[in-house]
Every structure is written in structure tokens, then in C-alpha cells.
Amino acid sequence: MSKRILIVDDAAFMRMMIKDILTKNGFDVVGEAQDGMQAVELYRELTPDLVTMDITMPEMDGITALKNIREINPNAKVIMCSAMGQQAMVIDAIQTGAKDFIVKPFQADRVIEAIQKALD
């Protein structure tokens, strides 16, 4: 059975890029959110196997959304995505419970590698 994934990014073209990579590799994209608040609601509603989460978003940032999702499910699998390879953000995301961190622009093989690693 294909793994169910929720994509969270405030940029529609980034969501489209990730969705394209995932669907071509046999994953089932069950939902898309454009900010952290929407991500938390959709996580609760859809219970995906994994979430790809942008860090910098309006309303609620990715790290706050990650904390909220992990309150719903302490075993939630979340991979953070950001254009900014800022060391502090990466460390913060991992300490908060992110399984991995991918940097934009995405390289398809790196996205798939991170997702497969997180789902194992």
C-alpha cells in the first residue's frame, strides 16, 4: 500500500514540485496545506504517514506546526523543507522531532531518500 503524505508549503509551485516528485515515485499525496495552522488541522483530519513541512510560512511557522502535530501524535513523521540552510533552524527542527531536513530547490532523489528513511 502506498504511503499517505501531506505537503505543507506556502508556495503553490513548491507544493506542486513536491507532489510531482512523490506521485512519480508511487506515494499518495492525501492533502496540501499552505500554512502551519492548516497543516495541523489537516494532520488531525487525514492522519498521513508523513508530512513535508516548510519552515517559513504565514499564520504559523513550520516549527510551531511540527510541535502541534507531535502533540497530536508523538510518533508523527515530519520532514522539514526550507530554502534557508540556516543552521539554527535545522537544529531547532531536528530537536523538535523532525526526521530529516531537505533544502530547496529540491532534488528528487534527495526528497525520496529522506522520505524512505523517515518511513523505515
Side-chain angles (χ1 to χ4, degrees):
M1 189 173 133
S2 65
K3 294 294 183 180
R4 303 168 69 252
I5 300 179
L6 172 63
I7 298 171
V8 185
D9 198 303
D10 58 331
F13 75 95
M14 281 296 170
R15 293 196 306 272
M16 195 177 72
M17 277 176 59
I18 300 174
K19 185 176 187 171
D20 190 51
I21 292 168
L22 297 178
T23 51
K24 280 181 179 161
N25 284 275
F27 293 99
D28 182 16
V29 176
V30 293
E32 294 181 31
Q34 57 193 16
D35 63 52
M37 284 167 62
Q38 207 179 25
V40 174
E41 284 169 27
L42 283 175
Y43 186 86
R44 194 176 274 127
E45 198 180 299
L46 302 169
T47 59
D49 296 306
L50 185 133
V51 180
T52 65
M53 179 83 69
D54 187 18
I55 288 185
T56 313
M57 296 181 291
E59 301 298 322
M60 180 192 289
D61 67 66
I63 294 186
T64 306
L66 172 63
K67 288 175 184 164
N68 289 342
I69 286 171
R70 289 185 57 86
E71 282 172 18
I72 298 166
N73 176 5
N75 299 315
K77 292 178 170 67
V78 180
I79 293 174
M80 304 308 284
C81 311
S82 181
M84 301 165 283
Q86 294 168 330
Q87 216 54 44
M89 278 186 165
V90 176
I91 292 164
D92 198 8
I94 300 296
Q95 287 174 339
T96 305
K99 297 291 180 203
D100 206 339
F101 193 95
I102 49 180
V103 179
K104 298 172 186 174
F106 301 116
Q107 290 168 320
D109 54 350
R110 175 68 185 108
V111 173
I112 298 306
E113 174 198 329
I115 288 173
Q116 285 171 335
K117 195 174 89 179
L119 289 170
D120 284 347

